[in-house]
Amino acid sequence: MNETVVVAGAVYDRGRLLAARRSAPPELAGRWELPGGKVEPGESAQEALVRELREELGIETEPLERIAGEWQLRPGLVLHAWTAKLLDGEPRPLQDHDELRWLAPEDADAVDWLPQDRPAVAEAMRILRTL
Ligand code: 523
């Protein structure tokens, strides 16, 4: 089986979770996601996540734990999620996004999440409350 993994980051800082609004492609634009992208050949999921968050948002992060679960995006493409701690930088939408928001756990539903991201967001908020 040749499945590509898309790794998404539940990036947190000071008790809040980072949400990113996609600007592309048209069918996803305007919806909110946990930022990330495809794992490239030869990369670990954690390496891919650190690279994607650096490229897309200009931040340095440390992946912490895999969020249990796996969500099929389309045949051959599956979504995984990790919690990640913000180490350095202020996130800016450099690529693929046009708006960012830091959400406290009680604001989890304040944005229009992509449906496939919702289970990981719920679990990330649960974890965030324990930190
Ligand atoms: N998702 C998704 N949720 C989510 C991410 C990061 C991605 O549903 N949190 C979907 C959106 C796309 C696919 O996964 O259909 C690939 O995500 P993308 O475009 O962010 O990954 P890239 O930037 O690695 O993809 P390429 O532009 O193809 O390189």
Side-chain angles (χ1 to χ4, degrees):
M1 239 305 253
N2 230 347
E3 276 214 320
T4 297
V5 173
V6 175
V7 61
V11 178
Y12 70 86
D13 184 41
R14 289 170 284 174
R16 296 160 312 153
L17 176 72
L18 185 63
R21 190 171 72 181
R22 289 194 71 111
S23 52
E27 62 274 18
L28 302 181
R31 308 294 296 275
W32 293 74
E33 69 172 9
L34 298 174
K38 291 180 188 134
V39 179
E40 303 279 354
E43 251 183 352
S44 68
Q46 294 100 313
E47 286 167 345
L49 184 60
V50 168
R51 174 183 54 73
E52 290 281 351
L53 295 173
R54 185 183 293 137
E55 288 172 1
E56 295 184 357
L57 304 169
I59 54 175
E60 296 303 322
T61 54
E62 180 190 0
L64 295 179
E65 58 174 307
R66 168 98 184 267
I67 294 177
E70 170 165 289
W71 301 277
Q72 199 78 39
L73 296 173
R74 50 179 183 265
L77 199 63
V78 71
L79 180 67
H80 290 190
W82 288 71
T83 58
K85 182 178 174 173
L86 179 67
L87 295 180
D88 195 34
E90 183 64 33
R92 287 162 294 140
L94 302 174
Q95 289 179 5
D96 301 340
H97 303 109
D98 60 6
E99 198 179 330
L100 303 176
R101 277 184 70 174
W102 287 106
L103 300 176
E106 59 271 23
D107 298 329
D109 295 326
V111 300
D112 183 21
W113 293 103
L114 287 171
Q116 58 269 28
D117 280 42
R118 286 180 182 272
V121 170
E123 181 59 9
M125 285 304 200
R126 193 194 63 74
I127 293 170
L128 197 54
R129 287 179 192 271
T130 70
L131 296 176

